[in-house]
Amino acid sequence: MDNFCKKGPVYRTYKDRVFRLLCNDKKRLLEIYNALNNTDYTDESGLTINTLENAIFIKMKNDISFIIDWNMCLYEHQSTYCPNMPLRGFLYFADLYKKLLRGVDLSAGRQIKIPTPHYIVFYNGTEKEEEEFTQKLSDAFEDDSEGCIQLTVRTINVNLGHNKELLEKCSPLYGYACFVDVVRRNLKNMAMQEAVEKAVDECIDNNILREFLTEQKSEVIAMSIYEYNEEYVRKTFFEEGMETGYQEGKAETLIKSVETVMQKFQVSLQKACEGVGATVEDYNRARADMRMSKTGAPL
């Protein structure tokens, strides 16, 4: 039996997501699948979760992948639009198929049948207003041709007020949308931790994801704070060109970014570095470079 079916805490790092934790239940996952595909599966044993636990792309773990009725599905949540999701999915599916076909003789004289891939992104960011949109791997090709490989990502807006029919028939997605909406409203006049804690309590009181939020309350709060802090850091620093500056070797920019995050959020050096997409080694190297440029002597 896969790890997602076991009782008790599974996650050991807050770089996991609340959405991933929510899907850490075959019943909820089956409900989402049925709502998307207008099916009525009830046998949870027919769903096999095959998420690659060690696969990390774009600084975050993939949310969840599973096989049902010879369909291989990859479900992701995104709070910020990312144009690289098709490439991410292509690499992830390649690893899934390699794992699935391990030991299979591909030179056999018969055609090897494989599960059909489906890549769905549940989007609740604020940049995009579309109900739904698609992204294609070929959009990333240098010469603008379609090449010989294609992968299409279907992105569904799950903010409240969007895709009402889907949310109305899928309580896990509706509940998640409500929780995110309450957190955002609270953040307008509350500090981060208070905003998240009150959102959890409000949802429980209103029977929104009550069982999930009650059982996983501490994990949800910690993961939510990490996710929103990371989003704030990305928008505050990266969108102002700090990521570009760092990539160009501007040590001063990296140092300033890390130290600002440490001061604002009262987090450790390691957490601050993670928040701006760097490592402690990167930070120390930047400080050494700054010292060298000013004094000509190493730290």
Side-chain angles (χ1 to χ4, degrees):
M1 183 175 292
D2 54 78
N3 288 335
F4 286 91
C5 299
K6 296 178 181 178
K7 297 291 184 181
V10 176
Y11 298 90
R12 297 291 179 264
T13 169
Y14 297 140
K15 293 190 76 172
D16 285 326
R17 303 168 184 253
V18 174
F19 181 83
R20 194 175 197 256
L21 186 61
L22 180 68
C23 292
N24 179 23
D25 179 276
K26 286 191 174 184
K27 182 179 180 180
R28 288 192 290 265
L29 191 55
L30 200 57
E31 186 174 347
I32 295 173
Y33 180 85
N34 283 334
L36 283 172
N37 298 281
N38 294 314
T39 52
D40 56 359
Y41 290 100
T42 58
D43 185 4
E44 297 169 23
S45 66
L47 185 153
T48 301
I49 295 175
N50 62 345
T51 308
L52 301 175
E53 288 301 306
N54 294 323
I56 300 179
F57 298 102
I58 315 180
K59 303 187 182 82
M60 291 292 289
K61 289 184 178 181
N62 285 83
D63 286 325
I64 195 154
S65 58
F66 61 97
I67 295 177
I68 180 171
D69 196 22
W70 284 100
N71 291 296
M72 183 182 287
C73 303
L74 175 58
Y75 286 177
E76 297 272 21
H77 159 262
Q78 288 286 305
S79 59
T80 303
Y81 171 72
C82 176
N84 298 309
M85 297 308 287
L87 179 57
R88 170 175 172 156
F90 170 70
L91 296 173
Y92 193 81
F93 275 119
D95 284 342
L96 284 175
Y97 283 121
K98 282 194 293 185
K99 180 180 178 182
L100 181 68
L101 297 171
R102 188 173 298 152
V104 175
D105 182 8
L106 298 183
S107 64
R110 61 181 179 84
Q111 186 178 57
I112 305 297
K113 294 293 185 178
I114 59 175
T116 304
H118 302 274
Y119 192 3
I120 307 292
V121 171
F122 299 98
Y123 172 78
N124 69 346
T126 56
E127 302 103 317
K128 295 281 190 178
E129 289 294 329
E130 299 99 316
E131 293 289 285
E132 184 174 319
F133 59 91
T134 60
Q135 298 168 270
K136 294 184 177 181
L137 181 64
S138 59
D139 295 337
F141 296 166
E142 284 281 5
D143 62 1
D144 295 326
S145 71
E146 292 189 1
C148 67
I149 298 175
Q150 186 61 281
L151 183 144
T152 302
V153 183
R154 178 188 177 193
T155 299
I156 301 172
N157 193 328
V158 291
N159 282 300
L160 282 184
H162 293 271
N163 287 296
K164 294 181 180 179
E165 183 179 351
L166 174 63
L167 296 187
E168 285 175 359
K169 64 181 180 181
C170 186
S171 58
L173 287 180
Y174 174 74
Y176 183 73
C178 288
F179 172 68
V180 170
D181 187 67
V182 175
V183 172
R184 285 177 176 161
R185 284 193 279 110
N186 289 350
L187 282 172
K188 293 178 180 178
N189 50 35
M190 298 180 193
M192 181 73 70
Q193 182 156 344
E194 182 184 10
V196 173
E197 290 176 348
K198 286 188 176 296
V200 170
D201 291 337
E202 181 177 331
C203 287
I204 292 174
D205 291 342
N206 288 283
N207 199 29
I208 297 171
L209 295 179
R210 174 180 288 174
E211 181 179 354
F212 168 70
L213 292 175
T214 300
E215 292 179 355
Q216 307 286 352
K217 186 173 183 177
S218 61
E219 291 280 65
V220 169
I221 290 173
M223 289 178 185
S224 297
I225 291 172
Y226 186 98
E227 286 184 56
Y228 278 97
N229 279 354
E230 184 188 55
E231 183 176 357
Y232 173 85
V233 168
R234 178 171 52 246
K235 289 184 176 180
T236 301
F237 297 110
F238 289 2
E239 291 181 5
E240 292 176 2
M242 288 191 175
E243 183 177 28
T244 301
Y246 168 55
Q247 289 174 344
E248 292 174 352
K250 295 181 180 178
E252 184 176 2
T253 298
L254 174 60
I255 295 170
K256 181 179 178 181
S257 299
V258 171
E259 293 179 353
T260 300
V261 174
M262 289 176 66
Q263 181 178 7
K264 184 172 183 63
F265 296 113
Q266 296 296 300
V267 296
S268 67
L269 174 61
Q270 181 176 348
K271 288 293 184 184
C273 288
E274 289 177 357
V276 300
T279 65
V280 174
E281 288 75 16
D282 293 331
Y283 172 79
N284 289 335
R285 190 181 304 114
R287 282 177 54 85
D289 290 344
M290 287 292 295
R291 177 68 178 270
M292 284 285 289
S293 65
K294 291 180 179 179
T295 67
L299 281 172

